[in-house]
Each structure stands twice: as structure tokens, then as C-alpha cells.
Amino acid sequence: MSDLATMVNTGAAVLAVVVLIIRFKINPAVSLVIGSAYLGLTAGLGTEKTVETITTGFGDIMAEVGLLIAFGVLTGAMLQETGAIERLVRTLIRVFGVDRMPYALSLTVATALQSIYLDVLLVISAPLARSAAAKMTRKGTARMATALAIGGECGIVLTVPGVGALALAGLLGVPLGKMLLFGLILVIPTVTIAVAVMCFLFDRGWWNEERDEQPYPADDRPDTADAKPDPDAGGSTAGSGGTAVAAPARAETHTPLPLLLAPLITALLLIAAGAVLDVADIHNPVIEFLSTPVIALLIGLVGTSVVGRRSVGINRIQRCIATGFQESGQILILTGVGGSLAATIAATGLGDILGDYFSASTAAPLLMVWAIAAVLHIAVGSVTISAITAAGILAPVAPALGIDPVLIALAAGAGSLFAVHVTSNTFWLLQSLMGQTTRGTLKTCSVGVSVASVVAILLIMPLSLVL
């Protein structure tokens, strides 16, 4: 098959996935498998090879990140049950004060809280964000809504253990410790700069309280809203579907907050330590074992379970673990079939074809990854799907070009952040939870996260010159 035919068929497969999801409302996982099958058959792989590639691609990425995603989701479910997230946000308000809260909250959400479903995290954090907004002297709602949007969306695809970051690392073969370190290096300045740009615009008049804000639907008093998500409600990742439902608040626990968060922080530190020692070429069998991502996150999971049992009791922890297993199923399937499409694309030889068009010294491939992910996100409305699909299309190019796969992963994540809009569940959650009109949410969520997307790719491209 000619190179042109291969590229046309690949484009048609991706377009078919988008059309099936948007026009015919077919589940994204099913659509990705259909797209993979179409590409394999039209690319001349044959029926047997096509099926083998789809199943192998699914299994390979599950072997890479399946347990990691499950452990992260379960840890997040237990942290939610113990009330650790609400207490953390209250602590941030007390320590940093309301005027610095947009930066403190967005950075915390983007880094430390990525084991929590984004929908659930928004429901938990929004009442406290509204409390801080009410105390601000300048554009409080705009600033805090933007902080939640930027921090939440950036964390999903740029920070381990965000489900998008885990999927991208597994898909592209990036060591998780390396993804964690480079993700943190990127997400901290990205979030800080994006929030600063948006606050500058709001302070210069780009926010009209009368037209951009509306009363809170459930309670006009932001400091009294203290809703908690229903553990039986369906969650979604990356705004790809599902709605978090508010339930009566649970009793506050008296377990110290640092103790509740210590197991998860320990797990992330172990992963980071392993990456640092690997770069320094220092080998220690014990540390290498403990810093293996699966073992490190297992330690975090077990530790959180022990602390959670002492905090809220065995029965509540067992119930939230059961719910976590149910919620993680959707993420695992979606990640796996994303790997199927990527494997099929790789089997067609697209990497060799595209490798002939670019040189290793150019940033054009990274811009292409960013652009593909951005277009897919505009169409589909899912950060995770667009990031995985874009990375899969150009994953085979990395060896030919000498581009470090971590850069492709970060570029795909950055592109998938562009133009979060009305197809995203996150958009509507932020509108209702933060008391915004659709016009206001387009500013805080759509424009705010898009600014972060552009800032991220501008920071990524110089890295291609040194990695």
C-alpha cells in the first residue's frame, strides 16, 4: 500500500471514531475498537493480524498501567471518604489567605489531588472555592473558577497519577518516574502562568458580574454549601461523561490531615526517588523494588486503607473501595482500547512514513501532536480520549526522529487541553458549581484551559532541544 493511502486511511479511521462518538452517540470505547478494525483491514493487515493487533495493543497497555490506574482510583476513593480533600482546601485558605488562593488551589489540584475523579474533586472543592471567592475584593468567582478549571484539567494529563498521564506514559513506554518528574516540571509553571494571565485579564475588565455570574442553583450562600459527592454516582475522567451528585455531608474525622495524605505522598516520593537514582546511575535493589510504580502505589493504597479504617471505620472503607472498583472499569477499558488504536496505527508503518517528513532537530512533530490532540478534543470533548489518540498516531515516529517519548506524551496532553467547551462535562459542572453563566464559563474554563494548553506547548518545545 502506498504511503498516501496509509495516511488517508489513518485519517479516515480517526475521523470515523469522532463521527461515531458525536453523531451516532456510540460509546467511545466501542468507537475506538471500530476505528482500529477499520484501519487494520483497509491497511492490508488482514483479518487475523488486525484482531491480533487490537487485542495485543489492549493487553500491552493494560500490562503497563492497568494496576496503576486501579490503585490510584482506589486511593482517591478512600481519601474522598475520609474527608481529606475538603480539609486540605480549608487548610490552603487558612495558610495562604484568600487573595493567593487561585494559585494555591490550582497548583494543589494539579499536583497532589490527581488520584481523585475530576468530577468528584470539583464537587468537593467548589463550595470552599466559592467561600474564598466571596471574600475576595477582585473578581472572586472568575479567579477561583479559572483556578479549578486549569488545575483540574492540566493535572489529568500532565501529572502522575492523573489517569491521562498514566495512560500516555504506558502508551509511549515512558518510565512512570520520568513522567512524574517532567510532568511536575511542566505543570507547575504552566498552571502558574495561565492563572496569572487570566487574573490579569479579569482585573482589566474582562469580567462582568451581571452577565457572567448567576445565583447558585441550590443555595445562594456560598459559605454554607458543603455538598459531598454520592459514592454511588457515576464519575468521569477528563470530562468525558458522568455527573457527580451531591449527598449529605459526612461526619468530620479527627485524624490529622498529614497522616491521611502521608501514604499517597510517600508513594509519589518513592517513584520520584527511583527516577532520580536511575538518572544518577545509582543502583540499590531495595530502593529499586520499592520505587517500582506498582509497588510504590500499592504501598500508598495499603497505607491509605489502614489510616482510613482507623479514621472512618472498616465498613465505610470497604464500601468506597467497592465503588472505586466500579468506577475504575470505565477508565481501564477506555485506556485499553486507546492502546488498541495506537497499536494498529503502529502496525501500518505510519511511523516510518511520517519519519521521512521530519528531522530530529525540528519541533514540528511536537506541534503536530499538539494540534491533532487539540482538534480531537474540540470534536470529542474528552481530554483523555484526544490525548491517547493523538499520542498513538505519532508514537511510532519517536524512534525514527530521536524525540524523547516523554515529550510526545506531554505535547499530546497539552494539546488535549485546548478549547474545553460545551461538549465537556467539566464545563457544565463548573458553570453550576461556581455560579457562572455560559458566557462566564466560556471565559474561565474554555479560554483559561486553552491558555494553559498554549503555555504548555511553548514550554515543551525548548525541551526538545536538550532531550
Side-chain angles (χ1 to χ4, degrees), residues 6 38 45 54 65 89 152 195 198 224 226 236 253 279 282 290 307 317 321 370 375 378-379 394 427 441 445 454 457:
T6 298
Y38 165 84
L45 296 182
I54 292 173
V65 300
V89 176
V195 171
M198 295 304 297
T224 62
D226 194 18
S236 74
T253 68
V279 171
I282 299 174
L290 294 177
V307 175
I317 290 298
I321 287 178
W370 181 90
V375 171
I378 292 172
L394 288 187
F427 182 96
T441 313
C445 184
V454 174
I457 190 60

Side-chain angles (χ1 to χ4, degrees), residues 57-100:
F58 185 96
D60 287 346
I61 195 169
M62 283 296 98
E64 288 282 344
V65 300
L67 284 176
L68 301 179
I69 291 175
F71 290 168
V73 170
L74 294 176
T75 301
M78 288 186 286
L79 289 176
Q80 173 198 344
E81 185 69 25
T82 59
I85 309 306
E86 296 107 311
R87 293 173 61 186
L88 176 61
V89 176
R90 291 194 191 103
T91 300
L92 291 173
I93 295 176
R94 184 170 62 252
V95 172
F96 292 98
V98 293
D99 289 337
R100 297 188 185 93

